[in-house]
Amino acid sequence: MTSAEQVPTSRTSRRGARPTMRDVADQVGLSIKSVSRVLNGEAGVSREKAEQVVSIARELGFRRNDLARSLRRLDRTETIGVVVEHPATRFFDGLIRGINEVAGKHGALVLTATTHGVGTEHDVVTALSSRRVDGLIIAPSGTDQSYLRAERAADLPLVFVDQPPRGITADTVLSDNAGGGRLATQHLINHGHRRIGVVGSAAGKYTVRRRLTGYRDALAAAGVDGKDLIRLDCGDPAEAEAAAAELLQLPQPATALFALNSKCTIGVIRALQSAGLEQRIAVVGFDDFETADLLRPAITVITQEIEAIGRKAATQVFRRIEGSDAPLRTSQSKTHLVARGSGEIPGPCA
Amino acid sequence: MTSAEQVPTSRTSRRGARPTMRDVADQVGLSIKSVSRVLNGEAGVSREKAEQVVSIARELGFRRNDLARSLRRLDRTETIGVVVEHPATRFFDGLIRGINEVAGKHGALVLTATTHGVGTEHDVVTALSSRRVDGLIIAPSGTDQSYLRAERAADLPLVFVDQPPRGITADTVLSDNAGGGRLATQHLINHGHRRIGVVGSAAGKYTVRRRLTGYRDALAAAGVDGKDLIRLDCGDPAEAEAAAAELLQLPQPATALFALNSKCTIGVIRALQSAGLEQRIAVVGFDDFETADLLRPAITVITQEIEAIGRKAATQVFRRIEGSDAPLRTSQSKTHLVARGSGEIPGPCA
DNA sequence: GTGAAAGCGCTAACAA
DNA sequence: TTGTTAGCGCTTTCAC
């Protein structure tokens, strides 16, 4: 409290230090609060001073520290987190497009984190939660989401896509996977097939189970038995290729194949090409891919309304952020069959 | 300082409020600092108390507020930002994989933001900078990066990939685009082609210019003239298809086509299929795509070492984060030709 | 139209 | 082993 001169070191000169509102205020000769007002577009500062603030801020390379801002404003970061396993699939591309579209309207930044590789889903989600995103859209890759109890308890908006969460309840946006499985199978039956093989990924996965349910329903409705024609747990195209090859070499071989995701579709096509059967065996794949129409035959697929799913999920997140406490909701988007050739190859009963 | 009882309202009961170290400390009957020690794995707390802290923290659903933590620790957020136009391409997939691999070793979270659609590159990068990421890896989509002067001045680690920045200088990791263009063109020349058409995207884009340079160099080295065979500014497969069709209908039509990116490759293939020329006209595409080997003929491509680029970029970012002030560096990764059939269709001079 | 003071949740520095 | 104090950069509240 003595009047000894304080000689504050200029913070801006420290390596890596970034200018603060304090620095701008000092330069303009204004209080930090006025600077804050200007930089946040609040009223109550004279035009002249305001212009000075803007110009000095620009000159200094000022960027508002949103860490501090969000801390003071009690965790409104205007950021939503998206957690996916793997960004480079048609599915996640469309999803993120849809989410971005809605988030843009709300002035929020969308940050995507990947669970592939080092970090597990749990780690990545927790990291985002600790960084206080305002909401989270999660395409689960783990098998248990009960670690999110803390976030649920704190009312952090959580929306699941592609698969429902396990171990907790939350808003969820799904595709009609069973409907898609039914569509595909029915389509093949209609084209005269009775021995319809299935190649899919992890047997325990929700989407796999649902698509399979649709397959079984369609077979049952047509009075067909398909028990020995299912090959699951194919994690990559190579495994799917092997599985498809197997289905084609059974005593009573499959005359049509239904691939439960696009990686499997690729494996199936490889198997058919190796065997020279691509014009003889029908194929329907779940999920579209960019070059599906360039193949010979072009590939018939089941498509999902992916961008719509992204929009729905984001809309729901923002509804919750704005305080909605409507009951938890699970919505389901349609799936469609796009006939391109491979699925219309006739079977023995055509 | 009077002994009047303070009756603090329980903060945890407020809707959306999340437990703090204060809450944990109160429950355990310890100071906030001890809680901090435990939750950050610092030594100096008795086993017994530490276990209590951990268990109460878990019970309360405590998540450390990393906004506050980072604020106090002067902007070490242990987060790096990646800015890309569009996550769902083979390129960005590999890139993010490589980045994640390195970031994982450094305990940092990788957050990806997309510039496609609503937000411009500038907005997205600034938002990330305001959130105080420790470093930024940017695949430029805009045409001018001088807005990053503030970040450069503050020594925020910045690494550009795919294309160098304009308007500022920074560490950059590129592919040898010209080399790839030369490889492709030379390959076609070697297979007897002299009229080699090019279909590419935006003429002003760095990668397009470099790949074209390689093309011209190879033609010049072989004494071939290719002036009227270049069609740029094809933004999507449809435009590339039209451009390719045009090149095939010239008085002296192209006998081979070089597509400068995978979207163009797809358009080119479509044009050839429509004309029934896919077995007659040679094609080389820049950038691989998942179904390239399923097409007939399978597509010969130039590949980039994408994951390596991601690893290099991330390594450089962390080097800078750790304080390196080595001179700015531009590194270049190799490109390779993968022969699959379409590029080996012989030309008239074979 | 302008500013001073307090405090968001945490950690650094120091004290006991 | 444990606690106290100050303060990161901002916004909120209230006073002038």
Side-chain angles (χ1 to χ4, degrees), chain B residues 121 125 136-149 152 158-174 204 206-207 209 328-331:
Chain B
E121 176 188 315
V125 169
L136 233 21
I137 295 174
I138 302 174
S141 54
T143 56
D144 174 34
Q145 280 69 42
S146 59
Y147 64 87
L148 277 164
R149 250 177 294 132
R152 286 310 321 269
L158 247 36
V159 177
F160 286 82
V161 292
D162 191 45
Q163 303 181 43
R166 305 192 199 174
I168 59 162
T169 54
D171 290 311
T172 305
V173 181
L174 304 172
Y206 172 81
T207 49
R209 291 193 335 256
L328 293 180
R329 188 162 87 170
T330 294
S331 78

Side-chain angles (χ1 to χ4, degrees), chain A residues 161-234:
Chain A
V161 292
D162 192 41
Q163 304 181 42
R166 306 191 200 175
I168 60 162
T169 54
D171 291 310
T172 305
V173 182
L174 304 171
S175 272
D176 180 9
N177 289 289
R182 226 177 294 124
L183 265 180
T185 311
Q186 186 62 61
H187 187 76
L188 291 167
I189 292 171
N190 289 348
H191 283 83
H193 296 277
R194 293 300 176 268
R195 293 197 58 77
I196 302 170
V198 174
V199 177
S201 59
K205 209 177 159 188
Y206 172 82
T207 48
V208 171
R209 290 191 338 254
R210 296 301 298 156
R211 290 167 195 181
L212 216 43
T213 297
Y215 164 78
R216 291 200 176 103
D217 288 353
L219 287 189
V224 179
D225 181 30
K227 276 198 187 58
D228 57 340
L229 293 174
I230 299 172
R231 296 292 181 279
L232 302 181
D233 295 310
C234 301

Side-chain angles (χ1 to χ4, degrees), chain B residues 190-249:
Chain B
N190 289 348
H191 283 84
H193 295 277
R194 294 300 176 268
R195 294 197 56 77
I196 302 171
V198 174
V199 177
S201 60
K205 208 177 159 187
Y206 172 81
T207 49
V208 171
R209 291 193 335 256
R210 297 300 300 155
R211 291 167 194 181
L212 217 42
T213 298
Y215 164 78
R216 291 201 177 102
D217 288 353
L219 288 188
V224 179
D225 181 30
K227 278 200 185 57
D228 56 340
L229 293 174
I230 299 171
R231 295 293 182 278
L232 301 182
D233 296 311
C234 301
D236 56 39
E239 288 177 15
E241 181 178 354
E246 213 183 298
L247 289 168
L248 296 171
Q249 285 164 359

Side-chain angles (χ1 to χ4, degrees), chain B residues 9-210:
Chain B
T9 11
S10 166
R11 294 205 57 269
T12 15
S13 68
R14 182 157 50 73
R15 183 187 188 278
R18 305 179 64 170
T20 68
M21 287 191 182
R22 164 93 277 135
D23 298 318
V24 177
D26 289 351
Q27 290 256 343
V28 183
L30 222 52
S31 81
I32 185 180
K33 178 64 212 187
S34 293
V35 171
S36 168
R37 276 193 260 259
V38 174
L39 265 16
N40 288 301
E42 287 172 37
V45 180
S46 69
R47 255 187 75 87
E48 191 199 11
K49 304 265 186 197
E51 277 166 12
Q52 277 185 59
V53 167
V54 169
S55 113
I56 297 282
R58 185 187 307 269
E59 193 174 301
L60 255 36
F62 173 83
R63 299 274 193 252
R64 181 179 62 202
N65 185 330
D66 281 344
L67 260 28
R69 174 184 167 89
S70 298
L71 180 59
R72 183 60 248 241
R73 297 179 62 198
L74 298 179
D75 297 345
R76 289 303 222 98
T77 55
E78 263 133 54
T79 305
I80 69 168
V82 177
V83 179
V84 300
E85 184 167 8
H86 200 77
T89 63
R90 184 114 169 175
F91 184 82
F92 292 131
D93 178 41
L95 186 74
I96 288 169
R97 243 179 242 262
I99 293 171
N100 268 328
E101 187 183 321
V102 175
K105 288 178 191 154
H106 288 264
L109 180 69
V110 177
L111 259 18
T112 305
T114 305
T115 59
H116 186 96
V118 251
T120 65
E121 176 188 315
H122 180 128
D123 295 334
V124 165
V125 169
T126 305
L128 250 12
S129 169
S130 284
R131 283 164 179 78
R132 295 299 191 261
V133 291
D134 294 337
L136 233 21
I137 295 174
I138 302 174
S141 54
T143 56
D144 174 34
Q145 280 69 42
S146 59
Y147 64 87
L148 277 164
R149 250 177 294 132
E151 281 70 21
R152 286 310 321 269
D155 282 319
L156 177 69
L158 247 36
V159 177
F160 286 82
V161 292
D162 191 45
Q163 303 181 43
R166 305 192 199 174
I168 59 162
T169 54
D171 290 311
T172 305
V173 181
L174 304 172
S175 273
D176 181 9
N177 290 288
R182 228 178 292 122
L183 267 180
T185 311
Q186 187 63 61
H187 187 76
L188 291 167
I189 292 171
N190 289 348
H191 283 84
H193 295 277
R194 294 300 176 268
R195 294 197 56 77
I196 302 171
V198 174
V199 177
S201 60
K205 208 177 159 187
Y206 172 81
T207 49
V208 171
R209 291 193 335 256
R210 297 300 300 155

